[in-house]
Amino acid sequence: MNGDDGRARGKGDARVDGDNGHPGGKSDEGRPRGKSDDGRRPGGKGDDGSPRRTDPPAPRADDSSRRGDDVGVWDDGLIARRVSENAAAAAAEQAGAREARGPGAQPAATLALDGPLRSRLDALRELVGLSRARLDSKTLAEAGKVLDEAASRRRLSGRHTVVAIAGATGSGKSQLFNALAGVTISETGVRRPTTASPIACSWSDGAGTLIDRLGIPGRLRRRPVQSPEAEAQLQGLVLVDLPDHDSAAVQHREQVDRILTLVDAVIWVVDPEKYADAMLHERYLRPMAGHAEVMFVVLNQVDRLPGEAAELVLDDLRRLLDEDGVALGEYGEPGAAVLALSALTGEGVGELREVLGQFVAERQAPARRIAADVDAAASRLRPVYTTGRRAGLSEEARDEFAARLADAVGATAAGEAAERAWLRNANRACGTPWLRLWRWYNDRREPPTGRMRLRPPADEEATARQRVEQAVRTVADRASAGLPVPWAQAVREAAVRGAHGLPEALDELAARAGLPPGKPPRPGWWPVAVLAQASMTILQIIGGLWLVGQIVGFMAPNLGVPVLLMVAGIVGGPVVEWSCRMAARGPARRYGQDAERRLREAAAGCGRARVLDPLASELLRYREVREQYGKVVGVG
């Protein structure tokens, strides 16, 4: 009885496998699938590590006496095949439920990333933090999502690889899913759409948290029913059958889009009729071109193509992928694997299983997926962080800004006024008494010249304000040149905030740093010049009094000496004054230049504190984010 039961179950299982794309029920080694030494179906491993066995459906009581005689009729009958398929599917469902519960499962090791990828994630996190005050949340949303998903994936198992099977309606992805699992798990049929909810199939324990992350409930979790050899080949694989991405049901497309952002890799299943579908290429393949290393593109249903038509379609598919920017993994180069198979006949399924097993065994898919997500986020952020042009505020622009502010406060005019004031003071100190008297008389009649007016006219104030505003706009434009739009706007806003109240501050500086109060300082030779001028005046007075004394007869007549004294005083006074004027030009110029320099420095300091320093802060922040962005993209 046991032997007959074993033969019946073995043949029934072979029939199930044959229906799933393995004609003849043969395994890769050539022996019938489902047979083992004890005649029971190898059902993989349970939660405790022991082989899981799947019992056939209980036979009816009236069939027990003729079971051994009617083995062939039982196995070839439609009812028998359905019963065997249902039993296998039920066993897989029970295993999936146990996997979902996982009471005895050991915690899986978390995902470990290499140093460069961790550095890139840290740089992206720093980049988002530095940019929150300058960029809107919508711009940073994708980068934040990448960081969240990467952190979530790192906390989960690193021994498992989650691979999704995606495709259009009628492409045969569920059929391929069943062929890889070795048992009918996902429903197939002519009704469209067939797959309404994603179904997960795990080849090993410990993947429950990964499937939880996908939002797949326990009732939709399965375990494959295969031989130990086939199970070991795909050890660590979690395969997910997705709904049709072109389904008429909106919730189906939403599920596809959501899960595609969470899986480690994806198998795109196309058929000879829809492999060039615009929705597939424009909505999925082209945007995911940077994820080529975690993509498989499978041309299914090649059994429908006669002769060399399959190779022609495959070549055209490669051409379309190349136009989409998807790198092809050929000749040892990293990229997407492109395969042709037939899930119905089993042609090429073994090759896909072998390639997929090697891919899962490397355990690099999660890290590659995270790296590709970082690349995609960095590519979309590129316009807001770099323009390819040199940015910054040159020393020439700073000097020009300071010069414009100095002109606005009248630094040059203030220096010239200081120079004239110094010369006027020298002339008054060293000039002849008669000329000083004349100038005093003229000063009483006319307003003084060469002095800065305490309050300029209204039109001059308006002109000075316009000069300040123009200087601020110019330096802001130069500082923002070459910056991306958000950072250029931030630089201009900083300049505008700093320019608020700048004209008034410059007016106060002009009043404080202009001409010093009182008379200009005198050099050491001024007392000598004043003594010489006084001597010339005394000679004139003595000569004049001498002549008057001779005229009135008080003194003896002698015109030579008094006339000589008067001529010496009259000629010597202007000579001394002219000499002092020549000698005073140098000190007066230096005095004027010093006054101009003080005013320029004061204006430059005010402009630097109010405008240039805020601009430098914005440029420094941009430089920091540029450095972080360079780390994110792996440059410098």
Side-chain angles (χ1 to χ4, degrees):
M1 181 65 69
N2 291 341
D4 294 341
D5 290 346
R7 287 192 299 273
R9 284 192 294 270
K11 290 182 179 181
D13 289 349
R15 178 67 65 181
V16 171
D17 290 341
D19 291 342
N20 286 336
H22 299 279
K26 299 292 184 179
S27 66
D28 297 338
E29 293 80 2
R31 63 175 180 272
R33 292 185 181 272
K35 267 199 172 182
S36 60
D37 296 339
D38 58 355
R40 297 181 177 89
R41 176 197 300 272
K45 294 182 179 180
D47 295 339
D48 56 357
S50 61
R52 186 176 63 252
R53 299 178 179 178
T54 303
D55 296 328
R60 293 176 298 178
D62 55 351
D63 292 337
S64 59
S65 60
R66 52 190 179 93
R67 182 184 305 166
D69 298 333
D70 296 339
V71 167
V73 178
W74 175 270
D75 289 342
D76 291 339
L78 177 61
I79 296 177
R81 288 199 303 272
R82 288 182 175 176
V83 169
S84 300
E85 292 172 1
N86 293 339
E93 183 174 358
Q94 293 174 4
R98 287 196 300 270
E99 172 66 18
R101 294 190 300 269
Q106 296 297 327
T110 58
L111 177 64
L113 304 180
D114 57 5
L117 183 54
R118 288 199 305 270
S119 299
R120 294 182 63 192
L121 288 172
D122 293 341
L124 182 60
R125 187 176 297 103
E126 185 71 17
L127 181 67
V128 171
L130 290 173
S131 305
R132 291 192 186 280
R134 301 296 179 268
L135 303 178
D136 58 277
S137 57
K138 184 178 179 180
T139 304
L140 299 174
E142 182 179 358
K145 184 178 180 181
V146 169
L147 290 172
D148 294 341
E149 297 300 341
S152 175
R153 183 63 181 89
R154 290 178 65 180
R155 290 191 294 267
L156 303 179
S157 173
R159 297 186 294 104
H160 294 80
T161 302
V162 183
V163 181
I165 298 182
T169 303
S171 61
K173 56 182 178 56
S174 296
Q175 198 172 38
L176 177 60
F177 180 82
N178 294 334
L180 291 173
V183 64
T184 301
I185 295 177
S186 185
E187 181 183 357
T188 61
V190 296
R191 180 177 59 88
R192 299 289 181 261
T194 303
T195 305
S197 300
I199 301 176
C201 181
S202 175
W203 265 254
S204 59
D205 297 334
T209 54
L210 283 171
I211 304 177
D212 291 340
R213 180 169 175 254
L214 303 180
I216 300 177
R219 61 185 177 83
L220 297 177
R221 304 182 188 186
R222 305 291 187 267
R223 287 294 294 270
V225 181
Q226 291 185 345
S227 63
E229 293 81 2
E231 185 174 353
Q233 186 181 24
L234 298 179
Q235 184 75 21
L237 173 64
V238 178
L239 197 62
V240 180
D241 184 22
L242 298 180
D244 303 330
H245 67 74
D246 60 348
S247 173
V250 178
Q251 61 271 23
H252 293 182
R253 299 196 301 269
E254 292 176 348
Q255 288 189 76
V256 172
D257 295 342
R258 178 183 61 84
I259 294 181
L260 283 179
T261 62
L262 302 176
V263 296
D264 301 326
V266 58
I267 300 175
W268 292 103
V269 182
V270 298
D271 61 82
E273 294 180 356
K274 293 185 178 181
Y275 73 91
D277 182 54
M279 175 181 288
L280 171 65
H281 289 270
E282 294 178 3
R283 185 176 179 180
Y284 293 103
L285 294 179
R286 196 167 299 166
M288 295 183 65
H291 296 70
E293 293 190 43
V294 292
M295 284 172 50
F296 299 83
V297 183
V298 174
L299 177 62
N300 192 19
Q301 304 176 7
V302 293
D303 55 306
R304 298 168 50 190
L305 299 175
E308 298 180 355
E311 289 297 331
L312 295 177
V313 174
L314 202 61
D315 290 341
D316 193 47
L317 176 59
R318 292 191 180 98
R319 178 187 61 82
L320 293 175
L321 292 174
D322 185 67
E323 291 179 357
D324 292 335
V326 178
L328 302 181
E330 299 176 344
Y331 309 107
E333 296 293 330
V338 182
L339 302 172
L341 54 81
S342 173
L344 179 62
T345 64
E347 178 186 355
V349 175
E351 181 184 358
L352 174 61
R353 184 181 286 107
E354 181 180 354
V355 173
L356 193 58
Q358 182 180 0
F359 179 78
V360 173
E362 293 176 353
R363 297 184 180 178
Q364 296 297 319
R368 292 174 183 172
R369 173 60 195 259
I370 293 175
D373 289 341
V374 173
D375 290 338
S379 177
R380 290 185 176 90
L381 289 176
R382 180 179 178 83
V384 299
Y385 287 115
T386 179
T387 60
R389 293 184 294 170
R390 187 178 182 86
L393 194 59
S394 63
E395 197 65 30
E396 180 183 359
R398 295 172 180 270
D399 294 341
E400 182 178 349
F401 176 68
R404 287 175 179 269
L405 293 185
D407 292 340
V409 298
T412 302
E416 293 175 352
E419 182 178 354
R420 289 194 298 269
W422 207 97
L423 288 174
R424 183 174 57 253
N425 193 25
N427 292 336
R428 287 178 176 176
C430 303
T432 61
W434 327 117
L435 185 59
R436 292 173 62 185
L437 184 61
W438 174 255
R439 287 172 178 168
W440 174 81
Y441 176 73
N442 287 335
D443 290 343
R444 293 293 301 271
R445 295 179 55 188
E446 298 178 0
T449 59
R451 286 277 185 178
M452 292 182 61
R453 288 184 288 268
L454 295 179
R455 185 164 185 82
D459 56 344
E460 291 188 10
E461 288 186 358
T463 302
R465 182 178 294 273
Q466 292 174 358
R467 289 179 178 177
V468 172
E469 294 175 354
Q470 179 64 26
V472 172
R473 284 195 300 269
T474 301
V475 74
D477 291 341
R478 291 198 174 187
S480 60
L483 293 177
V485 175
W487 303 97
Q489 182 66 25
V491 166
R492 294 191 185 97
E493 291 176 356
V496 171
R497 289 193 301 268
H500 183 69
L502 181 59
E504 292 78 5
L506 290 176
D507 290 341
E508 295 179 3
L509 280 177
R512 293 198 308 266
L515 287 177
K519 295 182 179 180
R522 299 179 179 182
W525 51 266
W526 273 29
V528 178
V530 172
L531 181 60
Q533 191 64 263
S535 300
M536 297 301 103
T537 304
I538 292 173
L539 288 178
Q540 294 180 41
I541 294 174
I542 293 176
L545 293 177
W546 198 333
L547 288 177
V548 171
Q550 291 181 4
I551 292 172
V552 299
F554 180 73
M555 300 180 66
N558 185 4
L559 296 177
V561 177
V563 170
L564 182 60
L565 291 176
M566 289 187 64
V567 170
I570 293 173
V571 174
V575 170
V576 171
E577 182 180 359
W578 178 82
S579 300
C580 291
R581 184 179 298 175
M582 293 296 102
R585 285 186 177 181
R589 186 178 299 109
R590 288 191 295 272
Y591 180 73
Q593 290 175 350
D594 185 62
E596 180 180 356
R597 178 185 55 79
R598 287 197 307 271
L599 193 54
R600 285 183 179 274
E601 290 178 352
C606 183
R608 180 171 57 253
R610 288 178 172 266
V611 178
L612 293 184
D613 286 349
L615 293 183
S617 298
E618 291 296 332
L619 293 174
L620 181 60
R621 178 183 289 268
Y622 172 70
R623 183 179 301 175
E624 291 177 356
V625 299
R626 272 295 301 270
E627 292 177 357
Q628 296 300 327
Y629 181 76
K631 294 178 181 178
V632 171
V633 299
V635 178

